[in-house]
């Protein structure tokens, strides 16, 4: 949305995504550079940065070119909200990855009619995760109140709004021991594994860099961060339509049919319902479900009732990371 006649420089934000040895799947967004300081403090600066984060100036319906390390290219377009999704078959992509499975690429504008200055000489880095064949399993984790204190279970979600809009990413608190638990899962039983970690949230893509910064600052394993379009938050869903988070998880399972997964979430929102439905549909693919308990008696009573008769997959309601680590060690995950 353009509110002022200004000429900010153009940029491309490449989201960390995932693919396979035979398929490139890259996502991101083309925007004007609003110069958002992720580590800035002070209530006025935080309010201004929040406004910039959601009052974006998109570069719409514009051509892009993705270039792989071996010179191969993929061409695509941004949509009306500035997002790009390059979903193309390709061969031998794993040969281009590092030891953790990350495939680097470079993306640029290819529209010669753009009369604007473009940052970084029109060369923007991106990465796609192609899990190693040595991976024992994958991990799919929620973000809010699972690894970062948010407050989605608070009254009218006021605490979640305050934490997200009026705290910078560097001052947000991770749940104690969460980063260590995720690194143990990433390294697996041998301690030398490269199990992929996927972060899935109901948060909008506008918060991508905010969450990416938080994960890096707090030493969480790097992994694809999968969010949703801000415009879909206000769309009315049909009774049969699945939440975007659930769609993303199902797509991950379809992409890696040879992998089993551990699901991690919290008891505050709808993770339990989503995870149960997924586990029932894929009983041989879900190794365990970990749900962090929240300080909301009514929600916890509902969650406990939900799992009373559920025996398909091991489920653990945890108060802290140590309980999850102990269970994972007993079951041979770490």
């Amino acid at each position: 949305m353009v509110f002022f006649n200004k000429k900010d420089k153009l940029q491309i934000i490449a989201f960390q995504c995932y693919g396979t040895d035979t398929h490139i799947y890259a996502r991101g967004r083309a925007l004007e550079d609003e110069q958002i300081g992720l580590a800035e403090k002070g209530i006025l600066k935080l309010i201004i940065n929040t406004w910039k984060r959601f009052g974006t100036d998109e570069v719409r319906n514009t051509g892009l070119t993705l270039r792989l390390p071996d010179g191969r290219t993929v061409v695509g377009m941004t949509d009306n909200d500035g997002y790009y999704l390059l979903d193309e078959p390709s061969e031998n992509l794993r040969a281009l990855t590092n030891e953790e499975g990350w495939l680097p690429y470079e993306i640029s504008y290819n529209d010669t009619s753009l009369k604007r200055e473009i940052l970084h000489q029109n060369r923007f880095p991106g990465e796609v995760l192609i899990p190693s064949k040595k991976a024992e399993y994958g991990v799919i984790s929620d973000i809010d109140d699972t690894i970062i204190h948010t407050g989605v279970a608070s009254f009218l979600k006021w605490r979640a709004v305050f934490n997200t809009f009026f705290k910078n990413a560097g001052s947000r608190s991770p749940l104690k021991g969460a980063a260590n638990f995720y690194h143990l899962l990433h390294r697996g039983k041998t301690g030398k594994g490269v199990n992929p970690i996927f972060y899935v949230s109901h948060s909008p893509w506008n918060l991508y860099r905010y969450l990416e910064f938080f994960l890096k600052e707090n030493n969480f394993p790097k992994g694809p961060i999968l969010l949703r379009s801000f415009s879909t938050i206000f769309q009315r869903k049909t009774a049969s339509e699945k939440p975007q988070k659930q769609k993303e998880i199902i797509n991950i399972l379809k992409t890696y049919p040879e992998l089993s997964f551990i699901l991690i979430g919290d008891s505050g929102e709808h993770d339990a319902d989503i995870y149960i439905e997924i586990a029932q549909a894929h009983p041989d693919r879900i190794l365990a479900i970990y749900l962090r308990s929240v300080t909301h008696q009514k929600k916890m009573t509902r969650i406990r009732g939900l799992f009373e008769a559920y025996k398909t997959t091991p489920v653990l309601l945890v108060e802290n990371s140590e309980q999850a680590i102990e269970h994972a060690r007993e079951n041979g995950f770490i």
Side-chain angles (χ1 to χ4, degrees), residues 26-250:
R27 299 171 76 167
R29 201 176 191 192
L31 299 166
E32 291 187 3
D33 178 26
E34 301 289 351
Q35 300 181 359
I36 298 174
L38 292 170
E40 285 184 344
K41 298 180 180 180
I43 191 67
L44 180 59
K45 289 182 178 179
L46 291 172
I47 291 172
I48 292 172
N49 283 340
T50 297
W51 169 262
K52 290 178 178 179
R53 211 171 267 124
F54 289 90
T56 53
D57 294 323
E58 305 89 4
V59 186
R60 304 166 178 167
N61 307 311
T62 300
L64 304 174
T65 297
L66 179 150
R67 185 176 298 274
L68 295 171
D70 62 0
R72 280 182 282 175
T73 59
V74 178
V75 176
M77 295 278 293
T78 63
D79 64 15
N80 200 46
D81 292 316
Y83 292 104
Y84 69 83
L85 171 57
L86 303 180
D87 187 0
E88 294 286 338
S90 195
E91 298 297 325
N92 302 318
L93 293 173
R94 186 172 279 113
L96 305 176
T97 64
N98 65 14
E99 61 182 9
E100 289 282 326
W102 288 98
L103 167 65
Y105 68 83
E106 189 175 272
I107 193 162
S108 58
Y109 292 98
N110 62 24
D111 187 345
T112 57
S113 67
L114 288 174
K115 305 300 181 184
R116 301 287 294 279
E117 185 176 354
I118 303 174
L119 289 173
H120 309 309
Q121 292 79 50
N122 193 22
R123 300 172 64 182
F124 299 90
E127 289 181 299
V128 172
L129 178 64
I130 299 177
S132 168
K133 291 182 178 179
K134 297 179 181 179
E136 302 164 5
Y137 54 81
V139 177
I140 301 174
S141 173
D142 179 43
I143 296 176
D144 297 324
D145 283 330
T146 300
I147 61 177
I148 181 174
H149 287 286
T150 301
V152 292
S154 62
F155 180 66
L156 296 179
K157 303 187 188 299
W158 68 267
R159 190 175 299 163
V161 172
F162 178 83
N163 286 334
T164 301
F165 295 152
F166 301 109
K167 281 189 175 182
N168 66 37
S171 66
R172 299 291 297 277
S173 300
L175 273 74
K176 185 178 179 181
N180 179 47
F181 179 42
Y182 283 52
H183 274 289
L184 290 171
L185 292 173
H186 177 54
R187 293 304 174 193
K189 189 173 183 178
T190 65
K192 300 179 181 179
V194 283
N195 299 326
I197 311 285
F198 301 85
Y199 301 98
V200 184
S201 172
H202 281 308
S203 296
W205 286 111
N206 305 67
L207 293 176
Y208 174 83
R209 288 198 295 180
Y210 182 99
L211 295 172
E212 180 187 42
F213 183 84
F214 169 85
L215 292 170
K216 185 176 181 180
E217 284 291 293
N218 290 283
N219 193 34
F220 281 87
K222 185 166 71 171
I225 302 171
L226 307 168
L227 309 177
R228 61 172 172 168
S229 175
F230 185 64
S231 61
T232 64
I233 295 175
F234 306 102
Q235 291 178 357
R236 180 175 295 179
K237 295 179 176 62
T238 63
S240 60
E241 187 175 359
K242 304 299 183 185
Q244 182 62 31
K245 180 191 292 188
Q246 187 166 349
K247 293 177 184 177
E248 291 286 2
I249 295 173
I250 291 171

Side-chain angles (χ1 to χ4, degrees), residues 273-284 286 289 310 312-313:
D273 304 87
I274 291 173
Y275 290 179
I276 282 179
E277 187 171 334
I278 288 172
Q280 288 175 331
H282 306 274
D284 299 326
I286 306 304
I289 297 172
Y310 180 78
T312 305
T313 301

